[in-house]
Amino acid sequence: MPERIPQIPVDDVIGQSSDSIRVGFLSFEYIPTDNTGLFFNVDSSTFSVSSGQMPEGFSGALLPFSQTVHSVFFLFFTFCFVIVAFWFNREGLTLVANFRNIFSGGMRRRTIFKEEITTTGIWSEFFLIFQTILILTVVFFTFFWDKGISGLSVKNMVLVFLAVFLGILLFLSIKYLVYKLIGYIFIEWGISEWTEKYFRVVELMGVLIFIPAMFFVFVPGYAKIALFLLIIIFFIIMMVVFWNLLNVFAKNKVGLLNYFLYLCAIEIVPFFLLYKGVVSLVNIAGN
């Protein structure tokens, strides 16, 4: 038995290739050894790393937020997913019937509403409205991140987030009060039924924008596509609202001019005001 392991010259093994030994499709980085050939040459490997000869690897996509903000948003989406899954497991038939009634037009179908109204069903509808407001707040927060929110302190970020959330909540509350007022003035119009259907539309919106909103927040590479899908969903929801309102006005024989004036004053202009309010809030907080 030989007293020492023979050392094979490195140049004979590698030849004229680089400092990597390739076997098939794999690559093994060559680390120099000492004179015995049994131990790594620490000084040489340290020099290689410090001189930048080691491979840099692949750089991942940069996330727009800090890890804390992303974790909080992920908890929001996870919380909504778990709770909605629970509600659909308990009141799935009622919720599906409610969403189907949105596209029925005219009066509600008696065959759809044979299910008994339960406390769980009522709370599930409240939560779906809450989910819509929360997801819209996260989307607004993400959209305006590079437009002034990123430079805010943590305290101001929380205040802006709460202000946007409360602003959307206030917007829906005012819509509810306006519908109640119109229903009180024009009792024969049956606006109370439309008010109920409108908030079903809000609930459906929160379900439809869930996945696009997740891509918009957590996958920056597909943010533009996700934003485009969110805009398309918004316009589809608005078309459903306009169509149902047209049925209400046609049933009560109200002229088209009054219909278009109503749309501009009650359904379209408030969204521009909401958007301008969010922009002003971000600008004020940024300054």
Side-chain angles (χ1 to χ4, degrees):
M1 177 180 291
E3 297 180 356
R4 60 191 301 270
I5 299 175
Q7 181 177 1
I8 301 176
V10 176
D11 296 337
D12 295 342
V13 177
I14 303 178
Q16 301 298 326
S17 63
S18 62
D19 60 346
S20 297
I21 301 176
R22 300 185 179 277
V23 179
F25 56 86
L26 299 176
S27 176
F28 302 93
E29 296 300 329
Y30 171 73
I31 301 179
T33 57
D34 58 8
N35 295 330
T36 63
L38 297 177
F39 302 101
F40 294 123
N41 191 341
V42 179
D43 296 334
S44 176
S45 61
T46 305
F47 172 77
S48 299
V49 174
S50 62
S51 60
Q53 296 179 6
M54 297 296 288
E56 298 181 358
F58 298 96
S59 59
L62 295 177
L63 298 177
F65 308 128
S66 65
Q67 189 64 37
T68 302
V69 176
H70 265 85
S71 299
V72 172
F73 284 173
F74 180 77
L75 289 177
F76 284 161
F77 280 98
T78 304
F79 173 73
C80 291
F81 178 81
V82 172
I83 299 300
V84 170
F86 171 77
W87 291 133
F88 268 97
N89 184 49
R90 295 287 300 273
E91 300 291 335
L93 293 178
T94 303
L95 293 175
V96 171
N98 292 337
F99 294 153
R100 191 184 308 167
N101 181 61
I102 295 173
F103 304 95
S104 64
M107 302 297 292
R108 69 168 64 178
R109 300 177 184 176
R110 297 294 179 183
T111 57
I112 291 178
F113 286 86
K114 290 182 178 179
E115 296 84 359
E116 181 181 357
I117 298 177
T118 61
T119 304
T120 305
I122 295 175
W123 280 108
S124 64
E125 296 193 39
F126 276 113
F127 182 81
L128 287 174
I129 296 174
F130 167 81
Q131 173 183 269
T132 303
I133 300 174
L134 181 62
I135 293 177
L136 288 176
T137 305
V138 173
V139 170
F140 273 119
F141 192 89
T142 305
F143 181 78
F144 288 102
W145 176 259
D146 295 330
K147 299 174 177 60
I149 297 181
S150 59
L152 301 178
S153 62
V154 176
K155 178 181 178 181
N156 290 335
M157 286 184 184
V158 174
L159 292 177
V160 169
F161 187 89
L162 291 177
V164 175
F165 181 90
L166 294 176
I168 299 175
L169 179 61
L170 179 63
F171 172 81
L172 293 177
S173 301
I174 293 175
K175 294 273 289 187
Y176 176 80
L177 294 176
V178 169
Y179 288 147
K180 283 295 184 180
L181 179 61
I182 295 176
Y184 178 78
I185 298 174
F186 304 99
I187 301 177
E188 67 278 3
W189 283 22
I191 294 297
S192 59
E193 182 181 341
W194 159 243
T195 303
E196 181 181 350
K197 184 177 292 188
Y198 176 81
F199 283 94
R200 298 276 166 74
V201 174
V202 174
E203 298 169 16
L204 178 61
M205 183 178 182
V207 175
L208 294 179
I209 67 175
F210 188 89
I211 294 180
M214 287 192 65
F215 274 84
F216 183 70
V217 175
F218 298 110
V219 188
Y222 293 92
K224 292 183 179 180
I225 298 176
L227 181 60
F228 180 72
L229 290 176
L230 290 172
I231 294 174
I232 289 179
I233 292 174
F234 173 77
F235 278 107
I236 292 176
I237 291 297
M238 293 305 299
M239 291 299 105
V240 173
V241 171
F242 295 165
W243 177 60
N244 280 277
L245 283 173
L246 181 61
N247 288 330
V248 173
F249 276 76
K251 181 181 65 176
N252 293 279
K253 300 179 180 180
V254 181
L256 285 178
L257 179 60
N258 293 328
Y259 170 71
F260 287 116
L261 290 175
Y262 173 86
L263 289 183
C264 294
I266 305 299
E267 302 297 338
I268 298 177
V269 173
F271 284 103
F272 287 100
L273 296 177
L274 176 64
Y275 177 80
K276 293 296 293 184
V278 175
V279 173
S280 300
L281 175 64
V282 174
N283 292 334
I284 293 173
N287 295 329

